Amino acid sequence: MKSIASAPAKIILFGEHFVVHGTPAILAAIDKRVTVTSTFTENGTVKINSELGTLEVSISSLYKYKEVESEFRPFVYLTNKIIDSNQNVKGLEITINSDIPIGVGLGSSSACCVATTASISGLFKELSSEEILKMSIEAEKTIFPDSSGADCTVCTYGGMIEYPSIEKIDNTFDLNLLIANSMIPHNTKNSVEKVNKFKENDEERFSQLCDLETKLIGEVITVMKNNDTAAFGLKMSENQKYLEEIQVSNDTLRGMISSLKEISLGTKITGAGDGGCVIALVKDENMSKVPALLPKDKKCFSAKIDTKGVVWKIEK
Ligand code: PMV
């Protein structure tokens, strides 16, 4: 018996970083996925195969998940938690296949946590989306305790959502979203700590920026209801100014944003910044001009919004 689950990558359209401090954010799931397959074995171990390597842990030491390298920790945590409440398991093999680039702000780690929760638990009993989300946030917190939970939420439910209300946003206008990867890996934990320092040094300005972000998100909702793509783009660029101010941008990202300016309605970092990806709202007729505008070492692709979120099935 195989339990197969998949979950989508995500982008943050508005509100990254500020969301960690309680302001809302707007996120969307996109059409790149991670697929996790779990099967029972008789080996007395849990074996995890991913593109980062293979880890095999004996069932009796799963509870020491905190000692495992961070790349594998959430999966060992999840296995420990799920097996603990399902005695008599003799072994498991978990295989992770992903088309989501790692460490560049597209939610690879959250999508892995969501899909792994659904896949392993599917071997025992079907969980609700809410249960999958709760457990996957716990797993993600084993490597990033400050996580806002926004990424796992959109990977679970799919579509475009406002966080934390989890209200689905109907995007009636077609968003032509270009994602450009700086190819500089980032570390979300470090970027979040940097923003915490900014806040400590200037509580007043940080609080103003949180208020500005909250206001901006309210305006974005209205703009979307009015189908005003041009205004949506301007709001993205406005959000980028706030991200510049909290210092999660750098010369490479600024260079990419400025190169895309002439063909986009708005461009910003998506995710933690300090590397990773930028997103640009680009009109259809300008999509073909994008590769010529970016340095050759940057990768770009256009993203469609994924509406499905996490899905799972059992194969006998
Ligand atoms: O770059 P990512 O995918 O790790 O995005 C992190 C988003 C933050 O707002 C910076 C952190 C969070 O937990 O929301």
Side-chain angles (χ1 to χ4, degrees):
M1 180 171 93
K2 282 184 186 171
S3 171
I4 306 170
S6 83
K10 69 94 210 344
I11 48 173
I12 302 183
L13 287 155
F14 297 92
E16 51 274 271
H17 284 292
F18 300 104
V19 68
V20 177
H21 302 270
T23 69
I26 297 177
L27 300 96
I30 57 166
D31 55 347
K32 284 203 179 288
R33 287 194 159 247
V34 58
T35 302
V36 179
T37 305
S38 304
T39 51
F40 288 117
T41 66
E42 301 281 324
N43 303 340
T45 63
V46 169
K47 188 173 179 190
I48 303 159
N49 311 304
S50 86
E51 61 189 282
L52 298 171
T54 295
L55 179 80
E56 195 157 7
V57 184
S58 72
I59 295 221
S60 57
S61 48
L62 287 173
Y63 72 96
K64 293 193 224 162
Y65 63 85
K66 284 188 186 147
E67 293 168 22
V68 169
E69 299 165 68
S70 61
E71 296 94 287
F72 290 102
R73 201 177 302 146
F75 313 119
V76 179
Y77 168 84
L78 284 169
T79 323
N80 180 50
K81 177 152 180 151
I82 297 167
I83 288 187
D84 215 35
S85 49
N86 293 280
Q87 301 300 318
N88 303 323
V89 175
K90 296 196 182 71
L92 284 184
E93 181 156 5
I94 299 157
T95 301
I96 302 165
N97 288 306
S98 179
D99 57 10
I100 309 175
I102 296 172
V104 289
L106 298 179
S108 154
S109 129
S110 308
C112 279
C113 288
V114 170
T116 305
T117 308
S119 170
I120 306 175
S121 59
L123 288 172
F124 303 96
K125 79 169 194 170
E126 201 168 302
L127 298 183
S128 66
S129 298
E130 290 70 26
E131 288 168 318
I132 291 171
L133 174 60
K134 187 168 174 277
M135 221 186 270
S136 57
I137 293 177
E138 283 167 21
E140 185 160 58
K141 286 193 171 185
T142 63
I143 39 173
F144 174 36
D146 284 344
S147 169
S148 65
D151 287 15
C152 285
T153 305
V154 76
C155 294
T156 301
Y157 295 114
M160 191 186 289
I161 60 161
E162 189 180 344
Y163 186 84
S165 66
I166 320 190
E167 255 169 58
K168 284 246 178 191
I169 301 171
D170 284 329
N171 64 313
T172 44
F173 61 87
D174 204 15
L175 288 175
N176 247 326
L177 286 166
L178 172 90
I179 299 183
N181 185 346
S182 69
M183 307 301 283
I184 305 171
H186 69 189
N187 181 316
T188 303
K189 198 165 170 246
N190 292 349
S191 303
V192 168
E193 275 165 16
K194 198 162 79 170
V195 175
N196 286 341
K197 292 229 165 69
F198 177 97
K199 182 181 173 186
E200 272 163 39
N201 289 337
D202 195 345
E203 292 269 357
E204 195 184 335
R205 182 59 187 154
F206 192 77
S207 158
Q208 283 168 357
L209 286 167
C210 287
D211 291 346
L212 286 167
E213 186 71 53
T214 305
K215 184 164 165 273
L216 184 77
I217 284 172
E219 289 162 2
V220 170
I221 304 286
T222 309
V223 152
M224 292 189 83
K225 282 190 186 132
N226 296 339
N227 278 336
D228 191 344
T229 322
F232 188 92
L234 290 173
K235 302 284 173 208
M236 286 170 67
S237 299
E238 183 65 27
N239 197 155
Q240 178 58 23
K241 286 191 204 155
Y242 309 156
L243 293 170
E244 291 286 347
E245 194 169 336
I246 58 172
Q247 291 157 27
V248 294
S249 189
N250 60 30
D251 287 345
T252 306
L253 298 172
R254 272 189 289 278
M256 290 168 71
I257 289 172
S258 129
S259 307
L260 292 169
K261 208 168 202 162
E262 61 182 88
I263 53 118
S264 71
L265 300 167
T267 312
K268 67 180 275 294
I269 287 168
T270 185
D274 288 322
C277 294
V278 301
I279 48 171
L281 190 61
V282 179
K283 281 195 179 154
D284 244 350
E285 62 265 32
N286 284 331
M287 274 302 201
S288 59
K289 298 182 189 158
V290 171
L293 292 172
L294 290 171
K296 294 269 172 301
D297 63 329
K298 311 299 172 209
K299 281 201 182 139
C300 57
F301 61 94
S302 73
K304 291 270 163 293
I305 301 209
D306 163 287
T307 52
K308 284 201 304 271
V310 62
V311 290
W312 60 91
K313 64 176 179 188
I314 296 289
E315 269 181 15
K316 298 280 178 209

